[in-house]
Structures are given as structure tokens and as C-alpha cells.
Amino acid sequence: MNVTVFGTGYVGLVQGAVLADVGHNVVCVDVDANKVERLNQGDIPIYEPGLEPLVKENHAAGRLRFTTDAAEGIKHGQVQFIAVGTPPDEDGSADLKYVLTVAETIAQHMERDLVIINKSTVPVGTADKVRDKVDGVLESRGRKDLRFDVVSNPEFLKEGSAVSDCQRPDRIIIGTESRIAEDMLRELYAPFSRQQDKMIVMDVRSAELTKYAANCMLATKISFMNEMANLAERLGADIEMVRQGIGSDPRIGYHFIYPGVGYGGSCFPKDVQALIRTAGSIDFDAKVLKAVEARNEEQKTTLFQKIHKHYQGNLAGKTFAIWGLAFKPNTDDMREAPSRVLMEALWQAGAKVQAYDPEAMEETQRIYGNRDDLTLCGTKEAALRGADALAIVTEWQSFRAPDFELIKQQLTEPLIFDGRNMFEPRRVAIKGFRYFSVGR
Ligand SMILES: NC(=O)c1ccc[n+]([C@@H]2O[C@H](COP(=O)([O-])OP(=O)(O)OC[C@H]3O[C@@H](n4cnc5c(N)ncnc54)[C@H](O)[C@@H]3O)[C@@H](O)[C@H]2O)c1
């Protein structure tokens, strides 16, 4: 099938590459000429495991092309994916300007019947707005003869395992009332539904809400566990024992109940906020979601609070080694990353940072530029050199079994602040460290 994807970010690029890999003919359109140029040269602008070979192979085979020419893309695809960003507006609601711009562009150039698929995370009612936009432009062009459907097909991939999530989705949510659109999507996604039917077809509004409900449920699990961790810490309990104790109940399960320094990334923070705003717009007070957000904001400061307390506020002139900058492992994404809250608070207090992350160094450099109080180090060991303490913010696999002797030698004092409960407190204590973690 001929497919066009608008947006070559985490969602659009991965989806485009995965669709091309099963044999569809994909054209990806982006307004960012630099990104398109890099992609055409085989240089992948984001880090995502398995993505580079997939893009290169399919690009070389001619099944995956990149362009800034929207008209060319619209001419190509029977289906047109919208996978552009929906960042938070000033008040936290989802900003639809990129989605509606793409809708307008499609309407300006379409010359045949099309299925427009919205993959961006958008508030309930957005498909109607896209439809109105396209209708309006077609009317002004005198082309009301052209038929189109607007389908909601939210994306559930996780950064860090985006390729395998797209290749083996748990479910494919399709929001449409059109038989034609449903048939087309069944054909498009058939290669991903072989073992069992992954498609769940529903009305458009339910599909749009499904995406928010999923992310808000996951964010709620995290904030709930962080609340329990804070309680455990104050009550002399160990949250890691509590986690295992509740996870063994199949109604609760072990997934996604790790305490830590709060959720970040490009999705949970903005999606929780956006659903709160959507609820507010219809005079509904989303009490649970507001609490989830408030707990998370506070949790992002927890590591700094522990450091501040330990040094009784005297942080000026101190240097901290930070391991992990990305908002989670296996990505270079720094959007809303808890590491940023920690670093910025340390700088504000007059401390310096020596940081290492396996993938997010370039992104950190891009965000903060050159500053005297930030040294980006080539290895996790180099980040330790001469620092007063180590703070762990992201649970990268390569941090799980470090050389504690070396850490001790490199730091001025054997002191670890661990925001991800990477180690067993008793073992770290035996090795001679003072060790602060979360909820223990
Ligand atoms: N990142 C994730 O893990 C994830 C997961 C599921 C859903 N989503 C949702 O998917 C959407 C996209 O997210 P992302 O992380 O891929 O965003 P992103 O910011 O990484 O990429 C968006 C891309 O769209 C491009 N773009 C903007 N306007 C355009 C236009 N008019 N025409 C063509 N391209 C245009 C931008 O240049 C950019 O390359 C968002 O709504 C997000 O909430 C993201």
C-alpha cells in the first residue's frame, strides 16, 4: 500500500520504517529540512534501538523516502498519517496547530479520495476539527466531490523499545465508523495481526480517549508508588519489600510500580495535563489526575531535597557526579527529564555537575550549551573524578553493577544518592558508602 506519514519524530519515523519493512511503500514528510536531509543521508536524528538499520535498509530498497515536499507526499499515499507533535499549550491543553496545519495542507493538495489517520495524541473531538478543516478547504477549492475519512489510530509505542513495540503491538486501536477506512486499515496492519487479531475498532471519540486513559493510568501507577515510597520512608518501611508484596497480587502485577524520581518524557506530563484541561473545559474536576500531577512535580525534587538536607543547604562549591540524563533508559530524550530539575536546582544552589549518559549527551549539550558549572564526561567513571557525591537519575543497564571500589577512590567522600533504587542498601553500606535511595 502507498502510505504517507507527516512528521518524522519518534512516532512518525518509527511507524514509517516499520510499515516499509513489511513491504508498504512509504513517503515521510517533515517541515524540518535539516532532519530530512540527515535522514536521506542515512543519519538518524534520534536514538532508538534497532531503528538505524531498519531505516537504512528500507531507504536503500526504495520503500522508505523522506521529503519536505508535502504535495509529493499527498500525491503518493492512499492513507495519510498525521504524526506531528501536540505539545502543551500555555494552559497545559494540547496545542493542535501542527495537526491542523497538516490537515489543511492535505486538503490543499488532495486530488483523490483519501483516508487521513491521526496518530498524534489528541484530545477527544480533534477528528471533528480535522474533518471541518479539510471540508472547509475542499469547499473553497470547489472540490467537494473528493471523499475522505478521518480515523483515530493512537500510538502506544514506548521510547526505548519503539521499533519492537510497533512491530509487535499489544493492540491496534482504530476509531472510525467508516467501513471503507476500516477495511483499508485492516489491510495496512494485517502483517502485525497474524498471531491474533490485534485490532480493536471503536468510535472515534473512544479511540481518542483510550490513548489518554492509557497514559494517565500509567502515570497514576507511578505517582501512587511514589506516594507509598514517601510514606514508607517516613514510617520506617522499605518500599522495595512493599513493591514485591503488592506486585505478587495478579490484580496489581509487577509492571510499572517502581518508585523513583517521577515520570518525565514527552508524553505522560503533557497528556495528564491535557486531560485535566479537557475535563476542565466541560466543568469536570479531574481530582485523581490533578493529584497524580502534583505528586509527580514534587517527586522530581526528591533527590535534590535529600542532597540539600544532607549538606544542610551548604551546596555552593560542591561538585556532583550525575549518572543518567535521559528521562528513562534506552532513549536520548530529555523532555521533562527529572535530571533537568536536579541539575537546575544544584546550579541554583551554587554547585557544579559532572554528568554522563550513554545516549543523551548531545541532547544535554544542545539544551544547556557551554556553561562553567556543567561538565559532560565521556564515561561514567570520568564523571566521578573529584566529585563530592554520586547521584543516579536514570536506571541505565550499565549502571547496575558498577565498580564500587573505583567509585570510592574517585569521589572525595563515599556518598551515593540513588533516585532509582539500583542497589541493595545493606550491600552498599558494607562497601563503606553512605547511601540514600527512595522509600527505604
Ligand atoms: N514520543 C512518544 O513516545 C510517543 C508515543 C505515543 C504517542 N506520541 C504522540 O505522537 C505525536 C508525535 O510525537 P513525537 O514524539 O514523534 O514528536 P516529535 O516532536 O519527535 O516529532 C514531530 C515531528 O513533526 C514534524 N512536523 C511538525 N509540523 C509538521 C508539518 N506541518 N508537516 C510535517 N511534519 C511536521 C516536526 O518537525 C517533527 O519532526 C505526539 O502527539 C505525541 O504525543 C508520542
Side-chain angles (χ1 to χ4, degrees):
M1 193 179 283
N2 282 354
V3 178
T4 300
V5 181
F6 280 84
T8 57
Y10 288 87
V11 170
L13 179 58
V14 174
Q15 189 65 60
V18 167
L19 287 171
D21 200 45
V22 295
H24 294 304
N25 218 317
V26 182
V27 169
C28 292
V29 183
D30 206 296
V31 285
D32 185 337
N34 177 42
K35 216 180 222 184
V36 168
E37 163 106 33
R38 283 178 70 179
L39 285 164
N40 275 323
Q41 287 170 0
D43 177 15
I44 314 300
I46 52 169
Y47 173 73
E48 199 53 62
L51 184 59
E52 190 169 335
L54 204 69
V55 170
K56 283 185 173 165
E57 276 164 34
N58 286 287
H59 188 244
R63 283 190 301 268
L64 181 61
R65 288 183 287 136
F66 303 100
T67 181
T68 52
D69 186 346
E72 182 194 332
I74 293 155
K75 196 169 165 203
H76 171 80
Q78 301 151 270
V79 295
Q80 306 270 329
F81 277 98
I82 304 180
V84 296
T86 45
D89 221 335
E90 274 151 34
D91 69 350
S93 52
D95 186 346
L96 294 177
K97 67 171 176 276
Y98 302 110
V99 169
L100 293 176
T101 299
V102 175
E104 191 172 2
T105 309
I106 292 174
Q108 278 161 353
H109 295 282
M110 70 186 269
E111 292 294 341
R112 58 165 162 172
D113 297 352
L114 287 180
V115 175
I116 300 171
I117 306 173
N118 193 11
K119 214 165 224 324
S120 299
T121 301
V122 291
V124 174
T126 300
D128 296 338
K129 289 187 180 159
V130 169
R131 193 173 301 117
D132 290 348
K133 179 63 90 182
V134 175
D135 262 336
V137 176
L138 289 181
E139 182 151 18
S140 70
R141 284 179 60 204
R143 292 305 310 266
K144 287 292 281 178
D145 57 306
L146 293 172
R147 239 194 74 81
F148 69 95
D149 286 303
V150 181
V151 177
S152 166
N153 171 216
E155 180 53 58
F156 295 93
L157 66 78
K158 302 182 283 296
E159 282 179 30
S161 55
V163 171
S164 62
D165 287 347
C166 271
Q167 286 172 329
R168 286 173 287 279
D170 297 323
R171 76 293 216 190
I172 300 166
I173 301 288
I174 303 295
T176 184
E177 276 110 53
S178 152
R179 281 304 299 192
I180 297 172
E182 184 185 331
D183 282 350
M184 212 166 223
L185 282 156
R186 283 201 183 277
E187 189 183 330
L188 179 77
Y189 282 127
F192 308 96
S193 243
R194 289 183 57 234
Q195 197 182 38
Q196 69 188 85
D197 188 5
K198 302 278 180 66
M199 271 180 60
I200 305 175
V201 183
M202 57 182 78
D203 63 279
V204 178
R205 285 179 170 250
S206 301
E208 288 172 333
L209 185 56
T210 297
K211 174 65 194 175
Y212 280 100
N215 274 1
C216 290
M217 171 62 120
L218 295 169
T220 302
K221 286 181 96 170
I222 295 176
S223 275
F224 176 83
M225 276 315 276
N226 285 334
E227 187 145 309
M228 291 304 116
N230 293 333
L231 268 174
E233 215 166 281
R234 287 158 180 80
L235 294 171
D238 180 344
I239 192 65
E240 287 304 321
M241 302 300 1
V242 177
R243 180 178 65 75
Q244 292 180 42
I246 62 171
S248 53
D249 181 335
R251 292 171 303 174
I252 297 174
Y254 290 107
H255 290 294
F256 239 74
I257 54 167
Y258 289 94
V261 284
Y263 58 75
S266 68
C267 293
F268 291 178
K270 85 169 167 59
D271 293 348
V272 171
Q273 266 182 32
L275 195 52
I276 292 171
R277 295 295 170 275
T278 297
S281 73
I282 48 164
D283 287 331
F284 181 79
D285 188 12
K287 292 192 173 84
V288 173
L289 296 180
K290 284 181 179 170
V292 166
E293 190 188 26
R295 167 58 57 223
N296 194 60
E297 285 304 298
E298 208 173 301
Q299 198 68 15
K300 280 182 164 182
T301 69
T302 189
L303 222 42
F304 178 73
Q305 283 170 24
K306 286 174 201 278
I307 293 171
H308 190 266
K309 188 172 168 200
H310 177 77
Y311 288 100
Q312 294 168 337
N314 300 317
L315 293 172
K318 299 273 180 232
T319 300
F320 292 89
I322 293 189
W323 283 5
L325 299 165
F327 84 92
K328 68 173 184 179
N330 298 321
T331 180
D332 58 352
D333 199 336
M334 294 276 292
R335 289 178 281 187
E336 306 274 341
S339 65
R340 296 171 69 162
V341 175
L342 174 62
M343 287 196 291
E344 286 164 23
L346 288 172
W347 292 332
Q348 184 76 30
K352 290 186 173 172
V353 168
Q354 298 179 169
Y356 169 74
D357 186 282
E359 293 297 337
M361 307 288 271
E362 217 176 287
E363 185 60 1
T364 311
Q365 175 75 45
R366 192 190 64 77
I367 295 166
Y368 292 112
N370 293 327
R371 42 187 302 161
D372 293 343
D373 47 11
L374 172 65
T375 308
L376 293 171
C377 304
T379 62
K380 64 180 192 292
E381 291 76 19
L384 300 167
R385 223 161 281 155
D388 291 287
L390 165 64
I392 303 176
V393 190
T394 317
E395 68 279 33
W396 282 92
Q397 199 66 12
S398 58
F399 301 159
R400 288 195 185 276
D403 181 342
F404 284 101
E405 269 316 302
L406 186 89
I407 298 179
K408 217 157 44 173
Q409 281 164 19
Q410 299 291 326
L411 296 178
T412 61
E413 200 188 333
L415 180 57
I416 299 176
F417 296 90
D418 179 359
R420 299 292 179 180
N421 291 356
M422 303 279 283
F423 315 122
E424 178 65 45
R426 196 177 53 88
R427 285 186 198 282
V428 193
I430 291 170
K431 293 179 196 300
F433 284 87
R434 287 207 68 188
Y435 178 61
F436 296 89
S437 51
V438 181
R440 300 191 283 183

